[in-house]
């Protein structure tokens, strides 16, 4: 992000202060990973100059799903029912395709009760950001294992999880999400880069963010704790995002950076960290996730991206204007149309 | 082939029986998937085109191919379109059910059948018309693989000859059925019709009483299924988002809607659609999409049947509590559980009124015919948006999937009513708003749509407790105030939902009350009661829940009110009881039919006669 001269009050390119992107006071536990994610969302939307009242926030039920109340207070929010935010968001985005939509859910929401909707959301490649605040437990119902908890990991009470986990990134890649990323609530910079990219992606972005639950899953034996992530997080690249309205002339030594051009002309710049990774290749992405899992690492970064796939609006042949506010002259066919149909039925 | 072995009832009794003109039912028994639909439609349409009121009801199995299916056509000069209990003319094309079909007939009925079935050996009190279908089809359809389909057209020809249907009308109906593009297919079928006609003319002697004679009671009328009518209503209501999941008997509603949307709601120049239709992954998702779209300001709907409603229950409660418009067409079928998926019932009357946990109640519209499917679809969208709440349109399989004669639908006279939505200018003027505040005393708050270009536009929608400003609240007073306002809102609907159809007969001390498709049996039953028993009745047809205040007055005016239900538990009866004080409840009687077939007048008449001791 460029830093221009600092005016008395710092504002973004649409003249709003960061304050305008804040939400209500959080009621989540102090130290909860979800709170950090809310902060990153505030920053990313502020820095990208997104009009807050043109944003719609969606969630299901859970501690994670409460968080839309704690960011973007000037945006419309819809805290729906457990596991069903995808359908609500789909309907809303169809009603008004000009909005930016962001879904925040938990791992219980996504990988258990809502897995059906999650899976089908990915098939539909709607321009939407899907944030999965992944803590391996049901926070709000006090610490039961979720379906993303690693086999062999331990609950706070010492119970060993004997169920295989569901990897939502693998699922996403398999099922057609066109941006799949994994991150850690504690990695401020990476998460910001990913969110900014997602804000400029013309399809579905699935972002699985390991977000420790300090109250029920931050202990020894958990694979979703702060200390576990500090030891095992393996960023695959550094994520920088250059929006279309900014100069991309920042020089980089050839071969150090992978450049992915987004549909709107923005650039995703992935700086190599040790290895060269091509995130536009599906098989690469799957191999990366599986290999790192074998090694006990959590690969984070933009695992997979296809910036120019046809999205759901295109497939439906939808008009550009929001369906929600179309005038009657467009939504109600003329009397002659009814007469014609009646004539056919005689 | 010989016809001499026949002993026609008429001749046995000496002399031809007197004619029954334009007042009989024909039942065609075939095998599902055998292509009989075309011949049945053509048969029905040809009678219709002769100006005679008809109705067509398909009784089909939950199966794609191979199981028995029956199609009943009723011709009625009085215009009765309910199912007629007695079959006057059977066309027995299904070898598997032929015996039973034959034995089920009342004495004196007629039966047309495939000659090798030798149904005439089963009994002697019917009019038998044996037809050698295989022999007749071979010469008119050289291509063997098409014979199975064309074969059924032969009975149209035979019936035309026996009943006196104008062959030109059969020809017209065929052309209409196949359209200009399939002229060859029409010709092939026409050949089969003629073969049947000629055969009957040369070999069969008319001995039964059923005949058609030209009338002028269908001029200007259309024939349509209720599902298509709901679909058209939704298209003309300006619906913009449709999410659905296939289920019998509702699927054809959205499928037909897609056809009309493509024709009427795509910009001819740009090719862009003014609507989105999504086949969702299940009913949880379809209602979720509708709620999401309704929240964002679209006119959104879904269409389903009982099992779908059960799945939607949680979301419907959210829609109620968070106050989001949604139109839900429930084309009812027989439950519980999977029940009888291809049979009709009014089994969701009660559950739709109160679906979802906690204190919830929902408006329901009860169309009884295709025209009301059309007009009430439009009203449903207006009401749902005005009251910001999910609304049901309860039809049933009988209305949804069967062929109904109707007047052409009237073009809406009222502009689309989008309800209380504040735009940016209004927000600017008001300096903000409280989403759930009862500003106008009707219990309905003002809402804003996401995307409204104003910093004060946003509010937070939730299914958890909230105060007037849409803020999270667990305070008892906030909760109670909100729930009371929701009750006031519901009460306010009473006068705004479609008014009942009421006939107060000054000579009657008894009323018949019903909703939805029961109207057809109820009307005819009132006529039977009058003609056969000299028993006068008043009539009240509920067209919406919450009930109109006029219901109380109607009950008060009569000694007894028979509430007709197409379900086991008397669901409409129970709903009315819930709404009534004890002295009115004491006057209510219940008439119930739940066999899965469309309700017939005789069932209602017999029950009233029994309970009244007539
Ligand atoms: C239909 C339904 N079943 C169960 C619940 C109870 N419930 C509330 S939150 C939750 C789990 C939330 O876990 P997760 O999505 O991981 O969110 P977290 O609290 O961990 O952020 C459950 C089971 C519910 N609200 N609705
Ligand atoms: S219980 Fe866990 S997930 Fe919920 S707010 Fe507390 S730390 Fe966060
Ligand atoms: Mg969780």
């Amino acid at each position: 992000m460029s830093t221009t001269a600092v005016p008395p009050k710092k504002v973004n390119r649409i003249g709003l202060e960061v304050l305008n992107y804040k939400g209500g006071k959080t009621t989540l536990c102090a130290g909860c990973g979800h709170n950090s994610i809310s902060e990153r969302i505030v920053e990313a939307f502020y820095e990208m100059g997104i009009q807050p009242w043109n944003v719609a926030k969606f969630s299901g039920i859970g501690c994670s799903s409460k968080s839309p109340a704690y960011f973007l207070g000037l945006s419309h929010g819809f805290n729906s029912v457990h596991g069903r935010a995808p359908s609500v968001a789909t309907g809303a985005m169809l009603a008004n395709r000009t909005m930016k939509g962001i879904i925040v859910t938990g791992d219980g929401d996504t990988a258990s009760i809502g897995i059906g909707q999650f899976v089908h959301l990915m098939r539909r490649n709607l321009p939407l950001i899907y944030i999965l605040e992944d803590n391996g437990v049901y926070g709000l119902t006090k610490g039961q294992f979720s379906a993303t908890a690693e086999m062999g990991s331990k609950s706070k009470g010492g119970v060993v999880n004997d169920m295989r986990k569901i990897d939502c990134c693998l699922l996403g890649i398999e099922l057609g999400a066109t941006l799949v990323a994994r991150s850690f609530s504690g990695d401020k910079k990476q998460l910001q880069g990913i969110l900014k990219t997602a804000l400029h992606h013309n399809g579905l972005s699935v972002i699985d963010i390991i977000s420790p639950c300090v109250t029920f899953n931050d202990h020894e034996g958990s694979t979703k704790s702060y200390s576990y992530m500090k030891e095992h997080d393996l960023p695959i690249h550094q994520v920088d995002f250059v929006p279309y309205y900014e100069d991309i002339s920042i020089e980089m030594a050839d071969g150090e950076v992978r450049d992915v051009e987004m549909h709107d002309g923005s650039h995703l710049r992935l700086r190599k960290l040790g290895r060269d990774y091509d995130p536009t290749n599906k098989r690469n992405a799957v191999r990366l996730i599986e290999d790192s899992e074998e090694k006990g690492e959590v690969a984070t970064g933009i695992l997979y991206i296809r910036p120019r796939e046809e999205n759901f609006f295109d497939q439906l042949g939808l008009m550009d204007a929001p369906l929600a506010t179309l005038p009657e002259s467009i939504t109600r066919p003329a009397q002659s149309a009814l007469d014609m149909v009646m004539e056919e039925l005689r | 082939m010989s016809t001499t072995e026949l002993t026609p009832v008429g001749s046995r009794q000496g002399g031809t029986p007197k004619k029954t003109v334009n007042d009989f039912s024909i039942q065609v028994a075939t095998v599902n998937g055998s292509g009989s639909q075309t011949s049945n439609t053509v048969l029905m349409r040809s009678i219709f085109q002769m100006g005679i009121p008809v109705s067509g009801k398909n009784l089909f199995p939950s199966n794609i191919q191979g199981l028995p299916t029956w199609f009943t056509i009723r011709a009625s000069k009085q215009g009765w379109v309910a199912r007629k209990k007695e079959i006057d003319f059977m066309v027995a094309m299904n070898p598997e059910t032929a015996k039973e079909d034959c034995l089920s007939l009342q004495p004196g009925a007629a039966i047309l059948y495939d000659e090798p079935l030798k149904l005439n050996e089963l009994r002697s009190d019917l009019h038998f018309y044996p037809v050698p279908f295989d022999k007749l089809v071979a010469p008119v359809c050289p291509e063997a693989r098409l014979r199975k389909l064309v074969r059924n057209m032969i009975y149209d020809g035979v019936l035309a000859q026996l009943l006196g249907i104008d062959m030109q009308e059969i020809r017209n109906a065929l052309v209409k059925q196949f359209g200009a593009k399939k002229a060859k297919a029409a010709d092939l079928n026409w050949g089969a019709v003629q073969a049947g006609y000629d055969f009957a003319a040369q070999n069969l002697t008319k001995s039964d009483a059923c005949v058609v004679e030209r009338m002028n009671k269908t001029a200007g009328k259309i024939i349509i299924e209720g599902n298509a009518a709901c679909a058209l209503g939704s298209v003309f209501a300006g619906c913009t988002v449709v999410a659905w999941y296939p289920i019998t008997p509702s699927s054809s509603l959205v499928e037909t809607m897609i056809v009309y949307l493509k024709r009427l709601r795509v910009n001819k120049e740009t090719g862009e659609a003014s609507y989105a239709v999504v086949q969702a992954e299940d009913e949880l998702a379809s209602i979720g999409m509708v709620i999401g779209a309704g929240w964002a300001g679209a006119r959104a709907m879904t269409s389903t049947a009982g099992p779908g409603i059960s799945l939607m229950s949680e979301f419907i409660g959210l829609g109620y509590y968070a106050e989001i418009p949604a139109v839900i067409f429930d084309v009812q079928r027989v439950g519980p559980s999977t029940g009888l998926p291809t049979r009709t019932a009014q089994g969701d009357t009660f559950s739709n009124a109160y679906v979802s946990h906690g204190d919830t109640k929902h408006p329901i519209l009860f169309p009884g015919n295709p025209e009301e499917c059309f007009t009430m679809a439009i009203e449903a969208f207006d009401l749902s948006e005005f009251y910001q709440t999910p609304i049901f349109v309860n039809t049933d399989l009988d209305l949804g999937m069967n062929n109904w004669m109707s007047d052409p639908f009237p073009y809406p006279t009222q502009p689309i009513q989008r309800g209380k939505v504040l735009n940016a200018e209004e927000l600017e003027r008001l300096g903000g708003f409280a989403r759930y505040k009862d500003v106008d005393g009707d219990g309905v708050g003002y809402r804003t749509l996401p995307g409204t270009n104003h910093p004060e536009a946003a509010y937070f929608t939730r299914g958890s407790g909230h105060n007037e400003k849409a803020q999270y609240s667990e305070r008892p007073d906030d909760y109670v105030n909100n729930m009371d306002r929701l009750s006031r809102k519901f009460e306010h609907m009473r006068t705004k939902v479609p008014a009942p159809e009421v006939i107060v007969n000054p000579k009657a001390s008894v009323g018949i009350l019903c909703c939805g498709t029961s109207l057809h049996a109820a009307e005819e039953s009132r006529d039977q009661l009058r003609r056969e028993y000299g028993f006068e009745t008043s009539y009240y047809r509920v067209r919406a829940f919450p009930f109109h205040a006029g219901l109380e007055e109607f009950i008060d005016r009569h000694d007894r009110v028979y509430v007709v239900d197409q379900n086991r538990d008397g669901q409409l009866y129970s709903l009315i009881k819930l709404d009534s004080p004890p002295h009115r409840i004491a006057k209510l009687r219940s008439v119930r039919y739940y066999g899965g077939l469309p309700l017939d007048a005789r069932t209602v008449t017999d029950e009233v006669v029994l309970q009244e001791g007539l």
Side-chain angles (χ1 to χ4, degrees):
Chain A
M1 202 44 231
S2 69
T3 42
T4 37
V6 184
K9 258 187 191 166
K10 208 175 159 206
V11 294
N12 63 10
R13 69 188 181 99
I14 60 165
L16 295 179
E17 298 170 55
V18 71
L19 207 67
N20 299 124
Y21 290 82
K22 300 227 151 124
K25 192 173 167 290
T26 178
T27 61
L28 303 181
C29 306
C32 175
H34 303 348
N35 284 331
S36 316
I37 298 171
S38 296
E39 286 167 25
R40 298 297 85 75
I41 292 171
V42 168
E43 290 158 5
F45 278 70
Y46 165 70
E47 287 180 24
M48 291 293 97
I50 307 291
Q51 183 68 264
W53 43 93
N54 203 36
V55 174
K57 312 171 283 183
F58 306 93
S59 63
I61 299 290
C63 296
S64 37
S65 288
K66 288 184 175 195
S67 65
Y70 315 139
F71 60 80
L72 301 182
L74 296 182
S75 305
H76 267 80
F78 196 160
N79 182 194
S80 66
V81 284
H82 196 15
R84 320 288 176 208
S87 60
V88 175
T90 299
M93 296 307 290
L94 291 174
N96 186 347
R97 63 179 291 184
T98 66
M99 289 186 306
K100 282 255 174 265
I102 177 169
I103 301 179
V104 178
T105 78
D107 40 324
D109 228 39
T110 294
S112 286
I113 193 167
I115 191 120
Q117 300 215 333
F118 176 58
V119 160
H120 286 273
L121 179 73
M122 290 187 288
R123 292 179 64 216
R124 288 189 193 105
N125 200 32
L126 266 169
L128 254 176
I129 302 174
Y130 189 102
I131 291 178
L132 164 48
E133 301 189 338
D134 191 351
N135 54 17
V137 287
Y138 293 1
L140 194 59
T141 52
K142 298 186 185 282
Q144 300 85 355
F145 281 125
S146 83
T148 65
E150 225 90 20
M151 198 178 204
S153 63
K154 274 202 195 101
S155 78
K156 199 174 182 182
V159 179
V160 176
N161 179 30
D162 50 12
M163 298 293 288
R164 238 179 285 279
K165 72 161 183 201
I166 292 173
D167 187 313
C168 292
C169 288
L170 271 181
L171 255 188
I173 294 162
E174 173 65 29
L175 291 169
T178 46
L179 190 166
V180 177
R182 181 166 278 144
S183 192
F184 168 43
S185 63
D187 188 342
K188 187 169 171 173
K189 200 154 181 297
Q190 184 193 55
L191 188 47
Q192 268 200 14
I194 294 172
L195 285 169
K196 288 177 186 174
T197 310
L199 273 170
H200 287 263
H201 179 51
N202 190 28
L204 183 71
S205 306
V206 173
I207 311 172
D208 177 26
I209 307 168
I210 311 303
S211 174
C213 168
V214 289
T215 307
F216 298 112
N217 203 15
D218 198 29
H219 46 264
E220 185 71 38
S222 158
T223 61
K224 303 272 196 269
S225 66
Y226 281 111
S227 59
Y228 186 89
M229 279 309 286
K230 279 195 182 114
E231 278 165 37
H232 298 84
D233 183 2
L234 186 84
I236 49 173
H237 41 222
Q238 184 184 310
V239 182
D240 292 312
F241 184 78
V242 189
Y244 63 90
Y245 48 82
E246 269 176 26
D247 196 4
I248 50 159
S249 62
I250 318 142
E251 290 301 320
M252 296 261 188
D254 216 24
E256 278 302 289
V257 165
R258 248 180 200 280
D259 184 279
V260 180
E261 193 180 354
M262 308 297 288
H263 87 291
D264 64 356
S266 299
H267 286 261
L268 169 61
R269 315 209 100 185
L270 301 170
R271 179 192 279 270
K272 284 184 196 169
L273 292 175
R275 64 179 124 176
D276 187 18
Y277 176 71
D278 175 9
T280 61
N281 181 306
K282 208 167 181 170
R283 284 199 200 135
N284 269 355
V286 172
R287 197 176 320 125
L288 171 76
I289 295 172
E290 288 176 346
D291 285 355
S292 46
E293 197 193 329
E294 231 165 64
K295 291 187 222 146
E297 293 163 346
V298 182
T300 57
I302 296 198
L303 306 175
Y304 181 61
I305 185 164
R306 305 278 300 178
R308 290 178 184 279
E309 299 285 303
E310 192 177 54
N311 71 27
F312 196 45
F313 298 145
D314 305 329
Q315 286 164 355
L316 290 170
L318 222 58
M319 54 201 311
D320 293 332
L323 297 182
T325 46
L326 290 178
E328 184 169 334
S329 57
I330 295 180
T331 62
R332 172 171 284 170
Q335 164 111 48
S336 56
L338 184 62
D339 293 345
M340 175 187 73
V341 173
M342 291 298 107
E343 192 51 45
E344 290 165 1
L345 293 166
R346 270 188 230 280
Chain B
M1 157 79 225
S2 104
T3 51
T4 46
E5 66 201 43
L6 278 180
T7 318
V9 180
S11 52
R12 196 185 54 220
Q13 290 169 344
T16 352
K18 70 176 192 316
K19 286 198 290 183
T20 307
V21 182
N22 299 342
D23 189 15
F24 56 86
S25 64
I26 306 171
Q27 185 164 74
V28 182
T30 48
V31 180
N32 208 22
S34 68
S36 57
Q37 209 184 333
T38 309
S39 36
N40 295 336
T41 309
V42 166
L43 182 61
M44 185 185 73
R45 283 208 74 96
S46 60
I47 299 174
F48 168 77
Q49 286 161 199
M50 288 180 70
I52 304 149
V54 282
S55 63
K57 295 194 192 296
N58 194 6
L59 178 63
F60 60 106
S62 181
N63 158 269
I64 302 302
Q65 204 173 33
L67 288 185
T69 166
W70 293 266
F71 190 82
T72 310
I73 296 169
R74 178 175 188 185
S76 165
K77 55 176 176 269
Q78 286 107 324
W80 303 129
V81 291
R83 181 172 69 89
K84 186 165 182 275
K85 212 170 184 176
E86 312 77 27
I87 302 302
D88 302 298
F89 208 118
M90 175 71 77
V91 180
M93 297 298 288
N94 183 356
E96 253 180 68
T97 62
K99 202 171 156 187
E100 203 189 319
D101 290 333
C102 176
L103 292 173
S104 70
L105 292 171
Q106 51 176 7
I111 184 161
L112 187 166
Y113 62 100
D114 195 11
E115 192 182 24
L117 294 173
K118 297 201 189 328
L119 298 182
N120 54 324
E121 291 173 5
L122 293 174
R123 54 194 283 188
S124 58
D125 55 351
L126 302 176
H127 302 275
F128 291 98
Y129 299 112
V131 178
F133 282 92
D134 289 336
K135 253 190 254 168
L136 294 177
V137 77
V140 294
C141 184
E143 234 178 300
R145 66 186 175 88
L146 292 179
R147 280 184 198 151
K148 195 180 118 204
L149 300 174
V150 173
R151 197 173 182 267
N152 284 316
M153 289 310 299
I154 293 174
Y155 63 72
D156 279 8
V158 175
L159 287 169
Q161 204 277 336
L162 289 173
L163 300 174
I165 301 169
D166 188 337
M167 280 292 268
Q168 187 55 45
E169 295 297 4
I170 297 222
R171 175 79 195 159
N172 295 348
L174 250 181
V175 169
K176 184 163 181 101
Q177 181 74 11
F178 282 96
K181 283 192 202 128
K182 291 189 190 155
K184 252 178 112 177
D187 286 343
L188 184 65
N189 282 283
W190 177 238
V193 175
Q194 282 179 315
Y197 186 93
D198 294 343
F199 167 82
Q202 287 154 26
N203 302 283
L204 301 178
T205 312
K206 168 87 174 172
S207 59
D208 71 289
C210 303
V211 287
V212 297
E213 280 173 14
R214 214 171 256 285
M215 298 176 72
N216 60 356
K217 277 209 171 170
T218 65
K221 300 225 188 253
I222 61 168
I223 290 184
I224 191 169
E225 294 164 6
N227 281 351
C230 288
L232 274 172
S234 303
V235 171
F236 282 84
C239 171
T240 47
V241 175
V242 185
W244 69 298
Y245 188 76
I247 185 168
T248 304
S250 85
S251 301
S252 65
L253 196 160
V254 174
E255 283 165 343
T256 311
M257 191 167 171
I258 292 169
V259 173
Y260 284 121
L261 283 169
K262 280 188 180 157
R263 283 179 60 190
L264 305 176
R265 293 275 301 276
V266 174
N267 184 308
K268 295 243 156 48
E269 273 126 54
T270 63
E272 288 174 339
S274 66
Y275 63 87
V277 182
V278 185
Q279 185 183 321
E281 55 270 30
D282 53 32
E283 288 87 347
L284 297 168
S286 55
I287 187 66
M289 290 177 195
V290 169
I291 295 276
W295 173 76
R299 298 209 125 181
M301 62 160 270
T302 186
S303 170
T304 188
I309 305 275
S310 293
L311 283 185
M312 292 176 183
S313 155
E314 187 186 21
F315 255 125
I316 292 167
L318 173 70
Y320 173 77
Y321 195 43
E323 300 181 60
I324 297 164
V327 175
I328 304 164
F329 290 91
D330 180 5
V331 188
Q332 297 165 96
R333 64 188 219 185
V334 174
S337 190
T338 303
L340 311 178
T342 60
R343 300 296 148 86
T344 195
Q346 296 177 327
D348 305 341
T349 310
F350 199 91
S351 51
N352 284 358
Y354 294 109
V355 66
S356 206
H357 56 277
D359 288 324
T360 59
K361 42 189 168 183
H362 316 286
I364 309 175
L365 308 188
F366 301 106
N369 55 42
E371 187 176 331
E372 286 184 350
C373 286
F374 180 81
T375 54
M376 285 192 188
I378 295 171
E379 284 183 272
F381 282 96
D382 283 355
L383 287 164
S384 178
E385 283 199 321
F386 182 81
Y387 286 106
Q388 303 169 5
T389 198
I391 188 167
F392 288 97
V393 181
N394 275 19
T395 73
D396 57 32
L397 181 141
D398 182 24
L399 179 54
M401 292 188 72
N402 284 326
N403 290 296
W404 299 80
M405 218 175 54
S406 169
D407 284 325
F409 304 154
Y411 192 75
T413 51
Q414 295 295 315
I416 289 173
Q417 311 281 328
R418 301 301 314 261
K420 302 184 187 179
V421 179
L422 297 173
N423 60 28
E425 294 79 62
E426 289 162 325
L427 282 169
E428 187 61 35
R429 186 162 42 78
L430 296 167
F433 80 116
R435 168 69 182 92
Y436 298 112
K437 194 172 158 84
D438 186 4
V439 179
D440 304 323
D442 52 11
V444 186
Y446 284 78
R447 62 178 185 142
T448 55
L449 303 183
T452 304
N453 189 17
H454 197 281
E456 296 286 335
Y459 66 97
F460 201 86
T461 306
R462 42 166 65 86
S464 43
H466 44 266
N467 61 18
E468 282 185 346
K469 292 183 178 152
Q471 291 158 329
Y472 183 81
S473 170
E474 294 178 3
R475 289 172 56 123
D477 56 343
D478 281 340
Y479 177 78
V480 170
N481 287 341
N482 195 32
M483 291 304 282
D484 289 349
R485 180 182 53 79
L486 285 168
S487 261
R488 283 204 302 282
K489 176 165 107 170
F490 197 73
E491 280 304 307
H492 193 266
M493 290 177 205
R494 277 187 202 280
T495 53
K496 304 293 178 193
V497 294
E501 183 191 0
V502 191
I503 301 172
V504 174
N505 181 340
K507 287 184 269 175
S509 58
V510 162
I512 292 189
L513 188 153
C514 68
C515 72
T517 50
S518 300
L519 96 90
H520 306 286
E523 280 180 343
E524 189 180 348
S525 168
R526 291 182 61 229
D527 184 63
Q528 288 175 347
L529 287 166
R530 184 183 307 118
R531 280 191 296 105
E532 299 169 16
Y533 298 89
F535 187 74
E536 295 289 340
T537 55
S538 290
Y539 177 62
Y540 192 100
R541 178 161 65 95
V542 166
R543 299 205 309 150
F545 176 76
F547 303 124
H548 209 259
L551 177 59
E552 298 169 5
E553 200 193 311
F554 184 81
I555 298 173
D556 288 344
R557 283 185 83 115
H558 296 91
D559 296 340
R560 286 169 303 285
V561 173
Y562 286 86
V563 183
V564 180
D565 263 294
Q566 296 183 52
N567 51 61
R568 184 193 66 182
D569 292 343
Q571 297 187 16
L572 179 61
Y573 168 73
S574 302
L575 263 190
I576 294 173
K577 274 194 351 189
L578 268 184
D579 239 27
S580 305
H583 73 276
R584 288 200 189 102
I585 293 176
K587 292 179 166 190
L588 299 177
R589 303 287 181 273
S590 179
V591 174
R592 306 160 189 201
Y593 170 77
Y594 45 96
L597 303 178
L599 181 64
D600 65 283
R602 188 55 61 190
T603 297
V604 179
T605 302
D606 289 351
E607 188 60 27
V608 173
V609 166
L610 185 76
Q611 293 193 36
E612 283 290 311
L614 299 177

